[in-house]
Amino acid sequence: MVNSDYLKNLNDAQKKAVLSIEGPLLIVAGAGSGKTKVLTSRIAHIIKTKNAFPNQILAVTFTNKAAKEMHTRVSKILGSSAIGLSWLGTFHSICAKLLRKHASAVNLKSNFTIIDTDDQIRLIKNICKAENIDVKQLAPRYIIAIIDKWKNKSLYPEEVNINKKDIYEKTILPVYKIYQQKLIELNACDFGDLILHSVKILEKNKDIREIYIKNFKYILVDEYQDTNYIQSKWLNLLTGRNRNLCCVGDDDQSIYSWRGAEIKNFLEFDKIYKDTKVIRLEQNYRSTENILTVASSLISNNQNRVGKTLKSTMEAGDLIQLNCFKNGKDEAIGVSDEVEKIKKDFSLNNMAILVRAIFQTREFEERFLKIGLPYRILGGIKFYERAEIKDSVAYLRIIYQDKDDLAFERIVNNPKRSVGESTIKAIHEFSKSHRLNLENSSRKMIQKNLIKPKAKIGLNMFLDLISKWRNDLKIKKINHVKLLQIVLDESGYSAMLKNKKDIENENRLENIKELLSAMKEFDNLESFLDHVSLATSIDRDWEGEKINMMTMHAAKGLEFDVVFLPGWEEGLFPHQKSIEEKGQDGLEEERRLAYVGITRAKKNVIISFSMNRFYQGDWIDSMASRFIEELPEDNLEKNSFFEDNTNSFDEFEFNQDIELDEDLKRSPGWIRYQKRIK
């Protein structure tokens, strides 16, 4: 059933963005301006007007959550006509799909494994050990970061021109070469390779490139301000003659330069794509007028921006609260007291405390724990990074393809099979000298009687099980969900968890049950393994009535009724390191981060700072952030301290009526605490 009303629910600017389907288009979408609605309506319009079939549309997002949301919305409009949107997904998932079709062009097989960060670290450690590189002096994570930087610049090892004065890069480049060779041997690639290999395939194979240029009549990109060099290059290669590239984003929300994002992709879009049409979405459907006025006034101090003026569909709303506190402890008390006061009007789930640096949560956590106020922190261990989940997935990976040495190494002695470190080391050495993967090396060593008797029994049993499970999958056609159940039972992994009765293992068993439920959403083992590899941090459990705590970076794309923004102090926010490393560009990105923080709020914003903060083991005197001076006075409501200190932010005399410890009877949280300790 096709929904014909999709255009009626759009304002004039949104409608113009939907209907302008020919040629390059940059949609400057302010916070809360309905960019997802525009993107999905645009896709629906292209299909409904028969300008393209669903499989001729390439739609790219940054998260699986965003891709799923987009697909759901398009399906609501088009019904069954949306079937066939096979090229809607994240940069990594789409590149993985393209790469599986043309893996041979980069010396891979189509069933290659996508390795995660843990696997990368293990592989780098092994290489460093073989090359006598001290990992205490040069950390594997740093090596990976440099390699990722090169990959984001579209550089294979042989294409890297190192800074000869940089001793680290000089050491890392040979590691990069070995690392890439090893990945090919393992029939594997990392996240960076997904895009890097795809770009190189398109660059070096004109016939392949022409296939995709011809197929993709329309290309749409979400959050374009967050793209890096290689992502922009990939899009450029695919756009070709059609030039029907539509990019949506907000330059004022470009906050990920530390992750490789380049704001110039957005700012210089019209230079790359001639005759670009620019449409601004300036109608905000999220925040009150006061919130938008404050946010717009702040961001107007940035020079490197396209520029727009947000207008609210809401009423003026409450003034933005600006509070000053004696120290971090008082700030936490003040915030908790405000939460207690307003929670009768707002759900805890619709409140958020957004900090510049994660260490800032400590004071709030301690306070909330003390008074029994439930909270969650966004940024803990992701589901697919939990040990029991990684173990389960490793079993599936080695069943899927025998070259996955990293998976083999993880589970060969998990649960214990008497295959100790010395045996694994011997297998590694045999593997290296005979140029075989670990599984085949193990089989050869057993044949040649090169394994100690006890380890031989355990290893042989493990190898027999792998063969049996592959037969279950390929010959018996047992589905991937049932297969994992069989694997966990026959391997002894389930029994290992069940035999130890404690809360931790109970939780692990529950996690595995959840994994089995999650697997049911996928058609086959391949699609599930790809999903696991590509899962993002935003996909996490948000259940329960809890106030949310996270960094401002993690909050992007989210919204809450009430937002607390503590710690607005010089050196902390804007962060001193950012300014020292990037100068004016760093300051502007910090200001964009402040803009993101403020515009997460729908109803209320409470900004605060303290004059003293315990930082890195010592008390420091703080000064109010320069961003506070950039906020419009008429839209602020200051606490009583400011009444006697209107001239300067440099000379603070603190009003002690904020010291809530002296009179805590008015705090519901303190009452709960007193009841608990009696």
Side-chain angles (χ1 to χ4, degrees):
M1 184 82 178
V2 177
N3 180 2
S4 58
D5 295 331
Y6 66 96
L7 292 176
K8 294 179 182 178
N9 299 320
L10 304 175
N11 62 41
D12 290 344
Q14 290 174 331
K15 192 177 292 184
K16 188 179 177 183
V18 169
L19 299 177
S20 303
I21 62 173
E22 300 301 320
L25 174 65
L26 183 68
I27 301 175
V28 184
S33 62
K35 67 177 177 67
T36 305
K37 180 192 280 189
V38 168
L39 274 175
T40 53
S41 298
R42 185 180 170 90
I43 294 170
H45 181 70
I46 291 168
I47 296 170
K48 194 173 186 304
T49 54
K50 296 184 167 45
N51 280 282
F53 293 109
N55 67 350
Q56 293 177 313
I57 297 172
L58 172 63
V60 192
T61 68
F62 271 84
T63 67
N64 294 322
K65 183 181 179 183
K68 189 176 180 180
E69 171 73 8
M70 198 178 294
H71 196 283
T72 301
R73 290 200 191 189
V74 174
S75 297
K76 280 183 180 178
I77 298 172
L78 293 179
S80 60
S81 300
I83 296 171
L85 274 172
S86 53
W87 294 99
L88 192 163
T90 65
F91 276 99
H92 289 111
S93 67
I94 290 170
C95 283
K97 186 175 179 178
L98 189 152
L99 192 54
R100 291 206 185 274
K101 290 178 180 289
H102 310 285
S104 60
V106 286
N107 298 315
L108 290 170
K109 294 180 180 178
S110 61
N111 67 339
F112 61 81
T113 297
I114 305 169
I115 66 170
D116 61 12
T117 304
D118 284 354
D119 289 334
Q120 281 183 284
I121 291 170
R122 251 184 304 145
L123 191 53
I124 292 292
K125 280 182 177 177
N126 289 339
I127 294 168
C128 288
K129 189 176 180 181
E131 298 298 311
N132 294 316
I133 297 170
D134 188 354
V135 292
K136 292 180 181 178
Q137 296 293 321
L138 195 57
R141 287 187 182 276
Y142 180 74
I143 295 173
I144 290 168
I146 298 299
I147 290 173
D148 283 344
K149 183 186 76 173
W150 287 331
K151 290 185 177 183
N152 287 338
K153 295 293 183 184
S154 187
L155 300 171
Y156 278 142
E158 60 273 15
E159 298 169 318
V160 173
N161 290 315
I162 61 170
N163 180 356
K164 292 181 179 178
K165 293 181 181 179
D166 191 324
I167 58 170
Y168 295 115
E169 285 196 2
K170 196 174 176 181
T171 306
I172 293 169
L173 183 55
V175 175
Y176 182 19
K177 289 178 181 175
I178 299 168
Y179 174 72
Q180 288 302 105
Q181 291 167 2
K182 192 67 179 172
L183 286 175
I184 296 296
E185 291 172 12
L186 293 168
N187 190 35
C189 60
D190 60 24
F191 289 102
D193 284 332
L194 294 174
I195 301 181
L196 178 62
H197 288 328
S198 296
V199 163
K200 297 302 183 183
I201 289 169
L202 295 171
E203 273 187 324
K204 296 177 180 180
N205 299 272
K206 189 179 177 182
D207 54 335
I208 295 175
R209 185 169 72 251
E210 284 297 320
I211 291 170
Y212 290 99
I213 289 174
K214 187 177 178 181
N215 184 75
F216 295 140
K217 290 187 176 182
Y218 295 93
I219 300 175
L220 300 91
V221 187
D222 192 15
E223 304 286 7
Y224 188 66
Q225 79 281 346
D226 293 333
T227 55
N228 59 27
Y229 172 81
I230 197 168
Q231 289 164 340
S232 177
K233 187 176 183 178
W234 180 77
L235 288 166
N236 191 258
L237 285 165
L238 290 171
T239 301
R241 298 177 300 276
N242 295 332
R243 300 179 73 247
N244 294 331
L245 173 64
C246 170
C247 292
V248 185
D250 184 2
D251 52 318
D252 291 334
Q253 297 188 64
S254 179
I255 58 174
Y256 296 124
S257 67
W258 51 275
R259 218 163 60 184
E262 297 191 8
I263 193 172
K264 72 176 184 179
N265 290 343
F266 194 96
L267 299 176
E268 298 176 4
F269 185 88
D270 58 345
K271 294 178 183 177
I272 301 169
Y273 301 96
K274 301 297 181 186
D275 304 317
T276 290
K277 185 182 288 185
V278 179
I279 296 174
R280 289 171 170 81
L281 304 183
E282 298 177 311
Q283 197 73 51
N284 176 283
Y285 296 91
R286 176 188 297 158
S287 308
T288 64
E289 191 62 49
N290 275 318
I291 291 172
L292 292 186
T293 301
V294 168
S296 297
S297 177
L298 177 67
I299 201 64
S300 68
N301 291 281
N302 274 7
Q303 295 177 2
N304 293 314
R305 59 192 295 259
V306 175
K308 61 186 173 301
T309 305
L310 290 182
K311 301 165 189 169
S312 178
T313 58
M314 319 279 284
E315 58 189 17
D318 294 338
L319 297 174
I320 276 63
Q321 292 182 47
L322 179 59
N323 297 326
C324 175
F325 296 98
K326 181 181 176 181
N327 53 47
K329 181 182 176 184
D330 282 359
E331 186 178 45
I333 292 171
V335 169
S336 69
D337 202 51
E338 184 67 21
V339 171
E340 297 278 16
K341 188 169 73 177
I342 63 175
K343 72 179 186 180
K344 63 180 183 292
D345 300 315
F346 302 101
S347 160
L348 290 178
N349 285 337
N350 281 320
M351 300 184 206
I353 299 170
L354 309 183
V355 297
R356 174 60 180 87
I358 198 65
F359 80 85
Q360 290 174 260
T361 66
R362 185 183 65 84
E363 294 276 17
F364 298 100
E365 288 188 68
E366 288 184 1
R367 176 65 183 169
F368 289 0
L369 286 168
K370 192 173 187 179
I371 66 173
L373 195 62
Y375 69 91
R376 66 169 66 86
I377 293 182
L378 185 75
I381 299 175
K382 293 184 290 185
F383 180 78
Y384 289 108
E385 290 180 353
R386 296 169 188 171
E388 63 276 12
I389 304 303
K390 288 179 74 70
D391 292 342
S392 301
V393 171
Y395 272 105
L396 294 174
R397 279 170 47 180
I398 195 64
I399 294 167
Y400 184 60
Q401 70 119 338
D402 64 358
K403 287 188 175 183
D404 197 333
D405 283 2
L406 297 167
F408 181 94
E409 192 173 1
R410 183 179 184 93
I411 44 92
V412 65
N413 199 42
N414 187 13
K416 301 291 184 187
R417 300 185 178 91
S418 301
V419 184
E421 288 185 13
S422 61
T423 302
I424 293 170
K425 185 181 177 182
I427 295 169
H428 267 289
E429 289 172 354
F430 189 93
S431 168
K432 190 174 180 180
S433 61
H434 290 78
R435 300 184 67 82
L436 295 169
N437 60 52
L438 296 184
E439 181 184 331
N440 287 337
S441 294
S442 301
R443 296 185 187 279
K444 288 284 186 185
M445 290 177 75
I446 289 171
Q447 289 174 9
K448 295 177 179 288
N449 207 27
L450 299 175
I451 304 288
K452 291 178 181 178
K454 196 174 179 180
K456 183 179 177 180
I457 294 169
L459 187 58
N460 210 22
M461 188 183 298
F462 174 68
L463 293 170
D464 286 345
L465 282 170
I466 289 176
S467 298
K468 187 262 181 186
W469 296 329
R470 283 183 185 142
N471 185 71
D472 288 345
L473 178 67
K474 295 174 183 177
I475 308 301
K476 292 185 178 180
K477 304 293 182 184
I478 291 175
N479 75 62
H480 52 296
V481 181
K482 181 65 177 174
L483 178 67
L484 181 57
Q485 291 175 315
I486 292 169
V487 168
L488 293 172
D489 286 336
E490 294 182 353
S491 66
Y493 195 91
S494 295
M496 176 184 73
L497 296 182
K498 289 174 182 175
N499 288 339
K500 195 174 181 183
K501 297 290 182 184
D502 59 31
I503 294 174
E504 191 176 356
N505 276 290
E506 285 175 12
N507 290 336
R508 286 172 179 165
L509 286 166
E510 288 299 319
N511 287 336
I512 288 174
K513 288 176 185 176
E514 186 60 29
L515 176 65
L516 289 164
S517 296
M519 290 174 68
K520 293 176 183 177
E521 297 179 14
F522 299 89
D523 295 330
N524 51 51
L525 182 58
E526 182 183 286
S527 61
F528 169 70
L529 290 176
D530 279 358
H531 170 77
V532 171
S533 301
L534 300 168
T536 61
S537 61
I538 203 69
D539 304 323
R540 57 179 286 122
D541 179 20
W542 282 78
E543 292 182 6
E545 268 287 306
K546 299 171 185 174
I547 189 169
N548 305 280
M549 272 190 256
M550 68 198 79
T551 64
M552 282 180 271
H553 283 101
K556 189 169 172 291
L558 303 175
E559 60 181 41
F560 306 91
D561 286 335
V562 182
V563 169
F564 294 87
L565 297 168
W568 280 42
E569 299 137 29
E570 280 295 306
L572 181 54
F573 192 49
H575 204 283
Q576 190 63 32
K577 186 180 177 183
S578 185
I579 297 173
E580 287 175 355
E581 291 182 353
K582 302 174 193 171
Q584 185 64 25
D585 288 344
L587 177 61
E588 291 207 354
E589 182 159 338
E590 290 289 295
R591 192 177 282 111
R592 290 195 294 270
L593 192 55
Y595 175 85
V596 167
I598 293 170
T599 56
R600 297 311 90 199
K602 295 193 279 187
K603 302 288 181 64
N604 293 103
V605 174
I606 300 96
I607 298 170
S608 60
F609 61 98
S610 67
M611 293 307 294
N612 297 279
R613 192 168 294 279
F614 195 69
Y615 183 60
Q616 294 185 348
D618 201 7
W619 284 100
I620 59 170
D621 294 329
S622 305
M623 193 166 71
S625 168
R626 70 189 75 185
F627 296 155
I628 289 175
E629 295 183 18
E630 297 172 1
L631 305 178
E633 290 276 338
D634 292 345
N635 301 93
L636 301 179
E637 181 183 0
K638 301 175 183 178
N639 67 353
S640 56
F641 163 75
F642 291 92
E643 294 173 6
D644 301 319
N645 296 273
T646 55
N647 297 323
S648 172
F649 285 109
D650 296 330
E651 300 176 0
F652 282 113
E653 298 274 343
F654 277 85
N655 187 313
Q656 297 301 307
D657 67 355
I658 305 299
E659 188 75 27
L660 301 181
D661 272 334
E662 294 179 7
D663 184 15
L664 287 164
K665 292 181 180 179
R666 59 195 176 97
S667 167
W670 186 254
I671 294 170
R672 286 199 302 273
Y673 173 62
Q674 291 296 327
K675 285 180 179 177
R676 215 165 49 240
I677 62 175
K678 283 179 180 178

